[in-house]
Amino acid sequence: MKAKQRTTKPDLRTPDEARQWLRDNGITVTAFAEHNDLCRHAVNDALRGMGKGNFGKSHAAAVALGIKRDPNSCTKASKSVPKSTAKSAKGKSA
């Protein structure tokens, strides 16, 4: 049985919703940062909405909190097969 591909993207959280999610799950900001190999300050900045989270540590924190989408989540692996030179040489015999 084939798995169905998700047609809708999961909803993103606002910084307030992300903070509430941490509270609901009993996770401290420091514990969340350590678990995701992030800087505690970057996580706090993302929760405060201080920056846009476009680059570096702030972007990684925003993605981990669900505030921004993971840029690699929507891309599919290429299924193209490189052309083999052995096939073209094999078909030509003198």
Side-chain angles (χ1 to χ4, degrees):
M1 186 165 134
K2 290 186 178 181
K4 291 183 181 180
Q5 186 174 2
R6 179 181 284 180
T7 56
T8 59
K9 296 178 184 175
D11 292 333
L12 295 177
R13 297 180 181 129
T14 64
D16 290 332
E17 290 172 342
R19 184 177 295 280
Q20 187 62 45
W21 179 84
L22 288 173
R23 283 188 196 131
D24 291 345
N25 289 295
I27 303 170
T28 64
V29 172
T30 304
F32 181 82
E34 288 175 0
H35 183 266
N36 290 292
D37 296 326
L38 298 168
C39 174
R40 172 178 60 90
H41 300 290
V43 175
N44 270 327
D45 288 347
L47 289 171
R48 288 184 192 136
M50 296 287 288
K52 294 181 181 180
N54 289 334
F55 305 102
K57 294 177 184 178
S58 62
H59 181 263
V63 169
L65 288 165
I67 296 171
K68 294 193 84 166
R69 293 201 193 286
D70 183 10
N72 297 325
S73 65
C74 296
T75 58
K76 293 183 179 180
S78 174
K79 292 185 179 180
S80 64
V81 179
K83 293 181 180 180
S84 173
T85 56
K87 284 187 177 182
S88 60
K90 194 178 196 182
K92 297 178 183 178
S93 47

